[in-house]
Structure formats: structure tokens, C-alpha cells
Amino acid sequence: MPDSAQPAHLADLAEALTGAAEDRDWAALEALCDRHILSMEGELAARLLFVLSLVPEAELRARPRLMISWINAYHAASEPDFGELRPYLRHYMDLGTRLAANMDIYSETSLATLVTVGTAAMIALRDQGKCAEAEDLGQRLTARAAQLSPLPGVDVAPRPGWLALQRGLTRSLMDDFPAAVELYRQAYDQATVEPATAATALNATANLAMLYAHLGHGALARRWLDRMSGFASPSRRVRFLLTVGGTIAEGWDALDRYDEAGLADGLATTGDGTRQLEVWPFVAALVSAHGLYLGDPAASLVHLGTLRLSHAPALVDQGTAVRVMRRAHVELLIATGQATRALRMIKETDPQASWLALPATRLRLLNGEYEAVRAMASRTSWHETTSRRDARQMLLLKAIAALRMGDREEARRSVELLSRLRPPEEVLSLASLSPADRDDLFKLAHIPVSDAAAQRLTLARPVFPERVHLVELTNRERAVLTELEAGGTLAQVARTLVVSVNTVRTQVKSVYRKLGASSREDALMRAYELGVL
């Protein structure tokens, strides 16, 4: 994207700030801040800070947008580290919360104040993990803004599209991607009306690229990345926050192509997911996928614990973050040979969830349940909530299962369908297979692969085990095992579960057989090892 660290006509802007102060025209100063606050850094921020110090306290308190601008100017002037904006964001969110508490949305007549203060409060709510409350506030702000916009004499929103953008980010974190895409598109359409709103347009295109890339829609992600390149960041200070979504999208593009160097460059910018970014779940998804396919799955499992401790529980245990963390945990467990533990996590989460369908199907394939694989893949490969990246791998798993069952025609059809979802330069789906399975599919049907992709595919290492053995206990068998773990005798277990001793004895035998154990101690030890308990 164009590297525009400072806006044009800086001297004119500095002069305008000084003139507003000399004329004590605080409304004009407010309008200048609304329009250019994201451009303020260095000497210009220092000039604004000085000008704001001349505003009478009563005027400052009556103009909440100037109070927010003061925080922007203070941090822009005093914090030269462009990569660390957390102190500023904390100050900004605290003030936004206090100001919003004193603002009656339905009686506010300033559209600029409504949006500026309201979105600051929305960001603060998201930071507390209260995304549903943030979206509720966003909807009320949108409704009031719609009422104010047509009225004569009402000021204009300082950054058209900013409210829709913030609602889009909220929906992204709530795992409501269709709504997020629609809101980001609204933000983009509104922001491209005038050049001064390039920051909002830049952020919207970056986040749209991020969502599409996260879902495996590479062509759509690239389209928005191309549009993103047409907008300049208003300053170096905010560039990272505005464009990090685009960097995530570029990282997914590199991973899909198995371009390890390109992915490493992207992760060097985004960090490892522990950084205090609102889009950290999307960074975490990319980081975990890198560890699974190109890194060390065992080390990545450990890193998941670090990720959990790096963010507040309210942020980790909701929406997109939950799905990213659970999905990564399951896939890394499979890659490290802990199949039964992975299966237990799937069942405890939601065995029917489309976002867990791929690892669930892979487990059945590795366990030799080929008919189940074909059924699961047929049901979910083309489901509207299945990501394009997952659908590619599901079709390949279905083809392998059909081939192992001797149904070459069904396998060939699955491979042919794959060509509708997979561009020739994509490598990841093929790299996820064992070399033997990959060779069998190449022999079976033509799979278009570009020369560069073929070269990268030769570097792929095995990701998942060749075979696994799943131990699945019934609910009653698990209950019996849990009671045995507590030290109960067969008679005590029978009384607790309200069944006969003979029934308990039969269930214990079944548990021992499934676990390959001959005693209570062996069964419990084996259950711990496998993750059954």
C-alpha cells in the first residue's frame, strides 16, 4: 500500500489549529480534530496538545470529542513506539466509557459526538469481552444516527463508515462472519465517499481480506487486498492497527501456497497471538496452523496454553476465540498422536459443529471407519458454514476413504469436485495427506498443480499419523469408570448408578476390554494416558 506517513499540507493544518485557538473558535477546533486526529503524530501532535491546553475547562468538558482528541494528541506526542498502542487504547477506552455513561443516545443531537463517544464505548465493551453488549450499543447508535442524518443543521459524522466498521469488528469476534462482512462492506462504501476517510476504508478492506482468508476464500481475500493497496495510512502510528487484518490475510495466502518464508514474514509483523490486539483470535488461528503444518505440533500445543494465559478469560471463552482455540487444540492433539483425547474434546464441544467436521472426519479416516468418512464428508463438504479450506480437505478425505473401500469411481468424482474449490497454486490441502495417499490420488485422477506448487509440495512433511486407535466409551461406561476412579466397590457403584451389581460387572469388563486393561489400576492408568478421563 502507499507509504504515506503524514498527510499533505501539514503546515496548513498546523496553522489552522493555531488560528482556531487564537480565535477561540472551539467548534472549528473540534471539526479539525474530528477530521485529522488519526494524522496527528510528532510535532503536529505536540502542536495540537498545546492548542488543547488553551481550551477553557468548561468548554473542554462540554465538548467530549475534544477530550478524546486530547488523549490522542497526548499519546501521539509522548509515545514514539509505533508498535505499542496499548497505553493509549486503555486511556481512550476508559474515557469513552465515562463519557458514554453521561450521554443519552436518544436525546443526543450531535451526530459526530454520538459516533465518536459511542464507538469508544463499544471498543471498551469488547475489551471486557462483552461483545453482545457492544453490538447492542452499536445497533442503538446506528438507529439514532439514521434519525439524525436527514435533519437540517445536524453535523456530519467525523469519519463516515467508522460506526459500521466497529460493528463489523464486533461481529467478527462474535463469530458472525456474514453480518461482519456486510458491515465491513457498508463501512467501505461509506468511507470511500471522500479522501479524508481513507483510514476507515483501509481498515475495512484489511478486515474483509482477513475474514475471507480465514475462511479459505483466497480469490476474494486477494481482491480486497488489492483494494487495500489503494489507500494510504494517515500516519505511521496507526498503520499497524489499520492493516493487521491484511497481514493476516497475506499469511493465510502464504500458508495455502506452502510458502514458509512468506508466512514467516507475516507472523513477524502480527506476532504469535499473545499481543494485545482485538483481532488476536485470527492471529492465533494462523499461528496454530503454521505450527500444525510447518512447525512443531507439540510446541504449538504448549503455545496454546500461553495464548490462553495472555488474554483475559472473558476474551478467550467467547465467540471466534473459543472456536479457534478448540479447533487448534483438536488438530494438534491428532497430529501428536492423542486421538482419543481429541475425540473426547470434539464430543464435549459439539460433535455436529461444522467447524469441527474436518478433524472429526480425519479421526474416522485414521481409525479405518471409511463409510463414516464418506457420510460425514458428503454432509458437510458443501455446507454453507464449512470453510472453503476445510471443504478442499474434506473432499480429499472422502476420495481416500472411497479408494480404500474399492470404489474408484466415487474417489474420482471427489477429486474432480476438488478442482472447483482448489486453484492450481494451492498446496496445503495436498500437503495435509500422507505421501502414499497423495500418490494414490495423483494416479487416480488429474489434479492440476502449478510448477511452483509442485516444487513446494516436495517439501511437505507428514502432518498426521498413518493410523490411530480410538477408544470410545458409552456414557454409562464412562460413569462406571468415574466411580471406580473415586474408589468405589462394585456394590457401591451399583447403588450410586441405581443398577444391579451384575450390570456394573458387565460394564467394567467392557471398559477393561476397550482399554486393554486387566485391573482397575491398569484401566485408570490407561484412561489417563488416552484422555478418556
Side-chain angles (χ1 to χ4, degrees):
M1 75 193 68
D3 192 3
S4 174
Q6 294 282 9
H9 311 303
L10 282 183
D12 291 344
L13 179 54
E15 196 172 308
L17 292 172
T18 302
E22 291 175 347
D23 297 338
R24 299 179 67 81
D25 188 347
W26 311 128
L29 177 61
E30 199 169 36
L32 285 170
C33 290
D34 288 344
R35 189 174 180 84
H36 299 290
I37 192 60
L38 292 181
S39 303
M40 302 291 181
E41 60 181 346
E43 293 182 6
L44 189 60
R47 172 72 67 92
L48 174 59
L49 194 60
F50 171 74
V51 168
L52 289 171
S53 71
L54 303 176
V55 181
E57 184 175 344
E59 284 286 348
L60 194 62
R61 291 186 178 280
R63 299 178 183 276
R65 282 139 55 204
L66 285 184
M67 296 173 68
I68 289 178
S69 297
W70 188 93
I71 288 177
N72 278 280
Y74 172 79
H75 287 278
S78 62
E79 294 172 1
D81 182 3
F82 303 121
E84 182 49 69
L85 294 176
R86 195 64 188 174
Y88 154 67
L89 291 172
R90 174 59 60 194
H91 201 175
Y92 166 77
M93 290 186 292
D94 287 346
L95 178 60
T97 300
R98 293 199 302 272
L99 292 174
N102 295 318
M103 181 178 73
D104 183 350
I105 291 176
Y106 298 107
S107 63
E108 178 59 58
T109 57
S110 168
L111 183 56
T113 298
L114 183 81
V115 172
T116 301
V117 174
T119 51
M122 284 178 62
I123 294 169
L125 286 169
R126 287 202 305 261
D127 187 64
Q128 300 168 45
K130 299 177 180 178
C131 283
E133 292 182 34
E135 173 56 8
D136 177 68
L137 174 58
Q139 290 176 359
R140 289 186 283 124
L141 292 169
T142 301
R144 180 56 179 164
Q147 292 174 341
L148 289 175
S149 296
L151 298 179
V154 173
D155 54 5
V156 297
R159 289 190 293 278
W162 183 250
L163 176 55
L165 174 73
Q166 292 303 323
R167 289 186 61 200
L169 181 51
T170 304
R171 287 290 185 175
S172 297
L173 297 174
M174 294 174 71
D175 196 48
D176 186 354
F177 296 156
V181 166
E182 177 59 28
L183 287 162
Y184 285 142
R185 285 178 176 272
Q186 287 179 22
Y188 173 80
D189 291 340
Q190 294 166 10
T192 49
V193 172
E194 53 179 299
T197 59
T200 302
L202 175 62
N203 203 173
T205 54
N207 286 5
L208 277 164
M210 176 185 73
L211 286 190
Y212 282 124
H214 182 79
L215 296 172
H217 293 274
L220 287 172
R222 175 51 56 188
R223 186 180 307 168
W224 285 103
L225 283 172
D226 290 342
R227 292 188 185 183
M228 175 182 156
S229 66
F231 298 99
S233 174
S235 70
R236 291 175 295 168
R237 184 167 177 270
V238 298
R239 175 171 178 154
F240 174 76
L241 287 181
L242 297 177
T243 62
V244 64
T247 306
I248 295 169
E250 290 170 343
W252 278 115
D253 177 66
L255 180 60
D256 284 336
R257 292 183 292 103
Y258 234 62
D259 177 4
E260 188 164 6
L263 178 55
D265 287 344
L267 294 179
T269 300
T270 64
D272 63 359
T274 59
R275 198 171 182 178
Q276 301 302 302
L277 299 170
E278 286 207 272
V279 295
W280 74 265
F282 296 94
V283 178
L286 181 60
V287 168
S288 298
H290 170 260
L292 176 67
Y293 292 104
L294 295 171
D296 181 347
S300 294
L301 267 177
V302 174
H303 185 63
L304 283 182
T306 304
L307 283 171
R308 178 168 287 279
L309 294 174
S310 298
H311 303 281
L315 300 177
V316 175
D317 296 329
Q318 67 162 341
T320 301
V322 168
R323 294 193 175 193
V324 163
M325 298 287 279
R326 295 274 175 87
R327 168 68 180 264
H329 200 165
V330 167
E331 291 191 314
L332 291 167
L333 285 173
I334 298 172
T336 53
Q338 303 179 69
T340 298
R341 197 179 301 273
L343 180 61
R344 178 185 174 188
M345 179 170 285
I346 291 172
K347 288 185 173 181
E348 290 178 348
T349 302
D350 182 359
Q352 301 303 317
S354 61
W355 53 279
L356 287 174
L358 176 60
T361 303
R362 193 184 308 280
L363 276 175
R364 297 304 173 185
L365 179 72
L366 298 179
N367 196 47
E369 302 173 57
Y370 305 133
E371 194 59 58
V373 170
R374 295 174 71 174
M376 294 168 73
S378 297
R379 184 174 66 250
T380 59
S381 293
W382 300 99
H383 194 278
E384 60 181 5
T385 61
T386 300
S387 81
R388 189 64 61 91
R389 188 175 291 108
D390 282 3
R392 288 194 287 262
Q393 295 195 38
M394 291 283 278
L395 286 172
L396 287 170
L397 297 184
K398 182 181 179 181
I400 293 168
L403 204 55
R404 292 180 182 176
M405 295 178 68
D407 191 343
R408 296 178 63 83
E409 188 55 35
E410 175 65 22
R412 186 177 291 106
R413 282 197 297 269
S414 294
V415 173
E416 290 172 352
L417 285 173
L418 177 68
S419 63
R420 302 183 187 180
L421 300 178
R422 181 192 162 275
E425 62 271 15
E426 190 267 346
V427 174
L428 186 66
S429 60
L430 296 171
S432 68
L433 306 178
S434 70
D437 286 333
R438 193 161 59 233
D439 290 344
D440 287 343
L441 293 182
F442 275 123
K443 293 174 183 176
L444 176 72
H446 174 65
I447 302 178
V449 178
S450 68
D451 291 342
Q455 180 62 32
R456 288 191 174 117
L457 188 56
T458 62
L459 304 176
R461 59 165 178 77
V463 178
F464 300 102
E466 291 285 341
R467 294 286 186 274
V468 300
H469 173 63
L470 295 176
V471 175
E472 295 187 71
L473 302 184
T474 65
N475 291 337
R476 180 61 73 178
E477 289 169 346
R478 187 184 298 278
V480 167
L481 187 59
T482 300
E483 293 300 322
L484 293 179
E485 181 188 26
T489 64
L490 294 186
Q492 290 170 332
V493 172
R495 284 196 297 272
T496 299
L497 300 180
V498 195
V499 294
S500 69
V501 173
N502 283 338
T503 297
V504 172
R505 186 175 289 111
T506 299
Q507 291 166 344
V508 168
K509 289 180 180 179
S510 178
V511 169
Y512 284 7
R513 175 179 55 77
K514 290 181 178 181
L515 293 173
S518 58
S519 67
R520 178 188 300 215
E521 291 73 18
D522 287 346
L524 291 175
M525 183 61 69
R526 184 68 174 149
Y528 296 143
E529 290 174 350
L530 294 173
V532 174
L533 288 176

